[in-house]
Structures are given as structure tokens and as C-alpha cells.
Amino acid sequence: MSSLLQSPETAAIAENLLRVRTRIAEAALRAGRRPEDVTLVAVSKTKPVEAVQAALAAGQTVFGENRVQEAAGKFPQLRAAHAFSLHIIGGLQTNKARDAVRLGDVIETLDRPKLAEAIAAAIAKEGRTPTLLVEVNTGAEPQKSGVARDDADGFINDCKGRFGTALAGLMCVPPAGEDPAPHFTWLADRAARHGLAVVSMGMSADFETAIACGATWVRVGSAIFGSR
Ligand SMILES: *Cc1c(COP(=O)(O)O)cnc(C)c1O
């Protein structure tokens, strides 16, 4: 019988997912966009594998993790029984590139030539090419990963040359405590200028604003899995 019972945590995650999906759909419609054009990336960092399983049971198939090491501890064991895609969304050291390429279906944090080199080498060794996004440090924050705004065009063009259509879009995390809308608008505009379809922006606190500004992927953690 116990397999038929839901723990309170499982039920809460299912309810939160429903609520977030509804808010995404409403934000898309308000912006004159189609709800299905916005993909929800459920960010499960710091949460146990049981939380991921609860989200999978509720129909969620796209997940995000900050740390490659943590992703390696949770996700490979789920592949046999579930179809999902895993996004690496945290700043990446070059010595983690190979693990990221092996584990991730998407790497959202390509932000410098050395890392592009390491990812290209890893792709050649692993025989597997994740979808790639260039992360832009739109707020010029020294502690954050991401290419500087001024260097973005050159780096994006380099990555197009190196990775071709695997380079799918742009990603940003605006400074906390600042109006994110100008950052979101800048990123969406830059993606459009480069003919890149994916714009990954917006977290629990601001995903509706991001959708209004053109986000095609939103990365939501605490609104689904609870505070960390
Ligand atoms: C943690 C994290 C998120 C999700 O943040 P929440 O505020 O919990 O929704 C999204 N993107 C990145 C890069 C993160 O590190």
C-alpha cells in the first residue's frame, strides 16, 4: 500500500509545480505569447533525489543543477527509468567540462574561450554534444560567471563557429536587488540579433517579468522545491 501513498513533500512539490506552470502560462498569455513556448527548468540544487522523483512523478521532465558533482550524484541513476533532460546552470571550471558534457543535455554557462576549448575537447572524447548557451554577466558583477556585455558579440560568434547549431541561445542571472527587466530585455535583444532561439532567464522571484521580456526558458527552484 505504501507505494500508493504520497508523502507530504511529494504532494507539495506536485502542487507547487502546478502553480508555477499556471503562472508561466498566464504570464505568456499576458505577453501575447503561447504558454508552450516557455520551458520550465526545475532547479533541484541542494534537494535530494526524492524531490526530483516527486517532480518527475508530477510530469516535470526538465531539470537544472548548479554543481556537476551534485548532478552526478542524483541524475544518472534516474536515466534508466525516466526520460528527462538535465541542464548544467552553474559556473563551470574547465576541469569539470568533461563531466558536464557526459552528464548534461544542456550546458547553460559557456562564458570564456578556455571553457569553450575544454567543452569542445570533451565533446570529441565523449562523442556526445550537449546543447550550449552563452552566459552573459549583464550586471558586470565580479563574483559572477558570464562573459562581459562588451565581449559578448565576439564570443558568441566564436562559439557559433566552433559549435555550430549546438549553440542555441543566451542565459543571464541579473544582479540581486536590481530591476531585472533591463537585463532581460538586453539579453533577449542580443539573442535575436544573433538569430539564437533560446533565451534562458528568470528565477522564482522574477520569472513572470522574464517571460514578459521574452524568456523561452525559466529556471525555477525554490518556488517548486521550497527554500534552500
Ligand atoms: C539557484 C538558481 C536558480 C533558481 O533559483 P530560485 O530563486 O530558487 O528559483 C536559477 N538559475 C541559477 C543559475 C541558479 O543558480
Side-chain angles (χ1 to χ4, degrees), residues 39-182:
T39 296
L40 171 61
V41 180
V43 178
S44 49
K45 67 183 181 201
T46 79
K47 301 298 180 183
V49 68
E50 289 77 13
V52 176
Q53 285 167 319
L56 283 164
Q60 179 64 27
T61 57
V62 184
F63 293 88
E65 284 282 339
N66 270 58
R67 291 170 182 276
V68 171
Q69 209 76 8
E70 188 180 340
K74 277 190 238 175
F75 282 87
Q77 55 177 311
L78 298 170
R79 293 260 186 215
H82 302 277
F84 58 83
S85 70
L86 174 62
H87 294 212
I88 302 298
I89 62 170
L92 203 53
Q93 292 174 288
T94 51
N95 65 7
K96 294 285 190 328
R98 186 144 182 205
D99 289 336
V101 165
R102 186 186 304 126
L103 281 167
D105 303 291
V106 180
I107 298 173
E108 297 202 18
T109 49
L110 176 52
D111 68 351
R112 58 196 190 279
K114 276 265 180 281
L115 182 59
E117 256 170 55
I119 288 175
I123 286 171
K125 286 193 189 118
E126 294 292 329
R128 143 174 233 279
T129 307
T131 294
L132 302 168
L133 304 189
V134 164
E135 179 180 9
V136 184
N137 187 354
T138 59
E141 295 174 279
Q143 80 283 12
K144 264 191 193 158
S145 52
V147 63
R149 283 192 191 209
D150 287 349
D151 300 332
D153 287 331
F155 184 61
I156 291 164
N157 287 330
D158 288 352
C159 289
K160 275 186 180 172
R162 197 191 280 271
F163 299 109
T165 54
L167 182 73
L170 305 182
M171 177 271 211
C172 79
V173 182
E178 216 178 276
D179 177 6

